[in-house]
Amino acid sequence: MADEHILDILRNTTLFARFNDEQLEVVPKVGRARTYEPGEIIVDRGAQHAQSMWVVIEGEVDVCVGGEAIGRLGPGKHFGELALLTDATRSADVVASGPVRALELTRSHLRGLIHGDPEVGIAILAELATRLRELTDLIGAMIEASPEADAVAREWGIARRSDPAGQQLDLIEASLERSE
């Protein structure tokens, strides 16, 4: 049986929250527990052909773009899954802010989980769809709240659509193109 502490963390991780106990117990068995020292770079922005994602078990990591920390992730938070699933370049650096213990899952680990139980893939897709919906809602709220939204859209070369959903899609597509 997997380490109960890791299973508790995974149970409360959004990416794995929809897994049943049997599915969840497989995750740490196929993954690899890793430790990182303070200041150690875990993910290098711009790296191509991503092969791993991580779930923070203990400690915290800083998500950095252009040398600036834009977020901090602690136990139960995951990172690296988007580049892993899309084969896109890494969009941010991730650096250990102190001692960190994380569960690393490689592309082959994740694919093995999905091939072994297709419901795992559906659970992961459901979580990613939820995150996309939250992002879309956030972008929509930003458009409605910002009188500068039209100027930003023009600056980014976005052909704005007349309906709010279309505007959100334009912004998402432009953001994704800029991150590639």
Side-chain angles (χ1 to χ4, degrees):
M1 177 164 205
D3 178 339
E4 272 307 311
H5 177 63
I6 292 176
L7 287 175
D8 287 341
I9 294 289
L10 292 175
R11 261 186 210 96
N12 294 305
T13 299
T14 57
L15 191 61
F16 302 112
R18 299 171 196 258
F19 283 30
N20 64 39
D21 286 342
E22 185 178 311
Q23 294 165 330
L24 198 63
E25 285 191 15
V26 175
V27 176
K29 291 177 183 174
V30 299
R32 181 170 66 145
R34 301 275 313 262
T35 57
Y36 299 93
E37 297 299 318
E40 190 173 347
I41 297 171
I42 302 169
V43 171
D44 189 13
R45 182 174 190 224
Q48 297 183 353
H49 309 295
Q51 294 299 313
S52 296
M53 65 164 287
W54 294 262
V55 178
V56 178
I57 303 301
E58 296 170 356
E60 294 181 322
V61 298
D62 289 322
V63 179
C64 304
V65 175
E68 296 289 324
I70 60 168
R72 183 166 276 192
L73 306 174
K77 300 299 181 186
H78 52 87
F79 57 93
E81 74 283 354
L82 295 180
L84 182 66
L85 293 170
T86 64
D87 202 30
T89 59
R90 298 288 188 177
S91 60
D93 293 321
V94 179
V95 181
S97 61
V100 171
R101 183 171 165 226
L103 181 66
E104 179 182 18
L105 293 165
T106 66
R107 180 186 307 265
S108 62
H109 293 150
L110 195 58
R111 286 185 176 168
L113 285 171
I114 293 168
H115 286 295
D117 185 350
E119 289 298 318
V120 166
I122 292 170
I124 291 171
L125 285 173
E127 171 54 26
L128 294 176
T130 298
R131 287 177 57 192
L132 180 59
R133 168 54 58 200
E134 290 168 355
L135 177 61
T136 302
D137 291 345
L138 175 63
I139 291 171
M142 291 169 60
I143 289 171
E144 291 174 7
S146 174
E148 293 85 23
D150 285 326
V152 170
R154 281 192 303 276
E155 179 183 327
W156 284 3
I158 300 170
R160 301 280 304 268
R161 298 176 183 150
S162 59
D163 64 298
Q167 293 171 7
Q168 292 169 20
L169 288 173
D170 284 337
L171 286 174
I172 291 169
E173 289 167 1
S175 175
L176 290 173
E177 288 173 4
R178 287 181 157 233
S179 69
E180 292 180 352

